[in-house]
Amino acid sequence: MGINILGMGNYLPEQTLVNDDFKKFVDTNDEWIRTRTGITERRMAGWEPVWYMGKEAALSAIERAGIAPSEIGLVIFTTVTSDFLTPSMASIVQNEIGAVNAAAFDLGAACTGFVYALDTARRFLYTDDSLKYVLVISSEAISRFCDFTDRQTCILFGDGAAAAVVERSDKMYSCALGSDGSGARVLFTRNLAPAPEVMQESDFSDGFPEKPKHLLYQDGKAVYKFAVQALPAAFELAASKAGVTKDDIDWFVPHQANVRIIETAAKKLGVSMDKFILTLDHFGNTSSASIPLALNEGIEKGLIKRGQKLALIGFGAGLTYGGIILEY
Ligand code: COA
């Protein structure tokens, strides 16, 4: 009951911001950012809407998969930075790429979005015989929601998109998904649609920290603490389901948030950093796009080869986490 990743593609915004560019906004420097996070530069969406980046990544994945858009039965789109509350990004892309026979919806699991979406795609493939191909797209423009006066947060994120076309396959596969909603308040972006003026005033508080307008709030230390246990846990849970150990895995493809988080997870798992695909230095944290961007880069560079076993492991707002072990 596994899947085959038939083709992948990506889109990266034109503009690049290097660490020193952040000196214009906050008191920081290249050395601090590099040593504390592992990031050197990141892309920033300028004119590119989130759906557009997703569309470009999707077209590249479809071409590499060697299929026609009309053969896609479902489009799943993940993002934490949707251009619209409605319609879904998936519906817009479905039309733009000519996937005329596809259903379409967005899926929200923050930075774990691609892992959740890939497993959702698999479940659809096995419960609907009429589906042949599912297109999973992850696209993010986090720069639009960053507080460029918060030096602890704004330096971490980057923008970009990646996509994958998947089909049913008897290759090995296992997945473990999880959530700890008690951590919802340590990483969030508010949707601040004001109540209509006719509504009565209330002093109701939802308990989330105040943050101006729609900007991303992060308690960096709390997220860090969660991440260093969630990444290894995501792997262990998926591995035990699959009946494999770390030694069976050729490549670990982790969510790219902070190289220190990945190093700590690698140490806990007893796995060499050489087995981890890293894109953090040049893309930063691109939320749900980070795992598929790393996967795509590993494939493009010829590191990830057909027949190898991969562990995709992620965590994010929610707080969510998830791991997939699959054969490429
Ligand atoms: N440049 C220079 N100094 C900075 C800085 C920056 N960009 N950001 C913070 N600092 C300073 C702090 O103000 C602090 O100074 P002080 O000691 O004088 O108070 C010092 O550096 C250490 O700050 P601290 O918060 O302890 O740094 P850290 O090592 O914990 O790193 C994060 C901060 C945010 C990079 C780290 O906690 C992290 O990566 N958290 C997880 C975030 C994450 O993964 N988010 C996305 C999840 S999907």
Side-chain angles (χ1 to χ4, degrees), residues 36 45 51 57 68 75 81-82 90 93 105 121 132 155 200 204 215 220 225 238 246 258 291 297 301 304 314 324:
R36 296 292 186 117
W51 67 259
V75 178
T81 57
S82 187
V93 173
F105 65 87
K132 202 168 169 199
I155 48 100
Q200 278 180 355
F204 172 78
L215 300 175
K225 219 170 127 190
K246 62 181 170 57
N258 184 325
I291 289 177
E297 189 169 294
K301 282 187 168 169
I304 297 174
I324 288 178

Side-chain angles (χ1 to χ4, degrees), residues 28 32 36 111 151-152 218 220-221 255 257-258 260 285:
T28 191
W32 192 96
R36 296 292 186 117
C111 301
R151 67 177 178 172
Q152 195 212 69
Q218 169 182 272
K221 282 199 194 311
H255 175 45
N258 184 325
R260 291 188 293 137
N285 178 350

Side-chain angles (χ1 to χ4, degrees), residues 71-316:
E71 294 179 283
I72 295 166
L74 175 64
V75 178
I76 308 177
F77 197 111
T78 76
T79 187
V80 296
T81 57
S82 187
D83 299 314
F84 304 104
L85 286 176
T86 193
S88 72
M89 299 287 91
S91 286
I92 294 174
V93 173
Q94 179 249 331
N95 174 60
E96 290 284 331
I97 63 175
V100 290
N101 297 309
F105 65 87
D106 289 359
L107 182 152
C111 301
T112 324
F114 183 76
V115 174
Y116 267 71
L118 209 55
D119 195 56
T120 304
R122 186 188 69 88
R123 288 166 192 270
F124 268 90
L125 283 165
Y126 282 97
T127 51
D128 183 347
D129 287 346
S130 69
L131 282 187
K132 202 168 169 199
Y133 304 115
V134 178
L135 172 65
V136 177
I137 307 166
S138 300
S139 176
E140 306 280 7
I142 305 158
S143 56
R144 305 226 168 97
F145 297 85
C146 267
D147 180 351
F148 282 89
T149 65
D150 177 358
R151 67 177 178 172
Q152 195 212 69
T153 306
C154 68
I155 48 100
L156 293 173
F157 294 95
D159 302 337
V165 175
V166 297
E167 63 180 353
R168 275 182 289 274
S169 156
D170 56 10
K171 289 178 181 179
M172 74 94 72
Y173 178 96
S174 82
C175 175
L177 302 174
S179 172
D180 176 5
S182 70
R185 289 170 176 76
V186 302
L187 185 60
F188 65 87
T189 313
R190 233 175 232 287
N191 162 30
L192 261 195
E197 279 179 16
V198 289
M199 300 306 286
Q200 278 180 355
E201 295 227 353
S202 157
D203 55 7
F204 172 78
S205 164
D206 61 11
F208 280 68
E210 285 302 318
K211 183 82 188 174
K213 294 185 277 183
H214 61 288
L215 300 175
L216 177 72
Y217 171 89
Q218 169 182 272
D219 176 344
K221 282 199 194 311
V223 178
Y224 194 97
K225 219 170 127 190
F226 170 75
V228 292
Q229 60 83 22
L231 263 194
F235 172 71
E236 298 288 9
L237 289 168
S240 72
K241 277 190 180 180
V244 299
T245 73
K246 62 181 170 57
D247 299 325
D248 298 309
I249 304 301
D250 296 291
W251 291 105
F252 288 77
V253 188
H255 175 45
Q256 318 271 323
N258 184 325
V259 77
R260 291 188 293 137
I261 292 173
I262 299 172
E263 283 166 355
T264 306
K267 209 167 167 186
K268 281 189 177 175
L269 289 170
V271 175
S272 158
M273 280 297 281
D274 294 344
K275 277 196 160 190
F276 281 73
I277 302 281
L278 294 179
T279 56
L280 189 67
D281 61 323
H282 48 284
F283 293 153
N285 178 350
T286 56
S287 189
S288 71
S290 97
I291 289 177
L293 274 172
L295 189 53
N296 181 64
E297 189 169 294
I299 295 167
E300 281 183 353
K301 282 187 168 169
L303 298 170
I304 297 174
K305 298 182 183 68
R306 288 286 175 193
Q308 288 187 326
K309 290 190 180 64
L310 314 178
L312 317 182
I313 47 176
F315 65 90

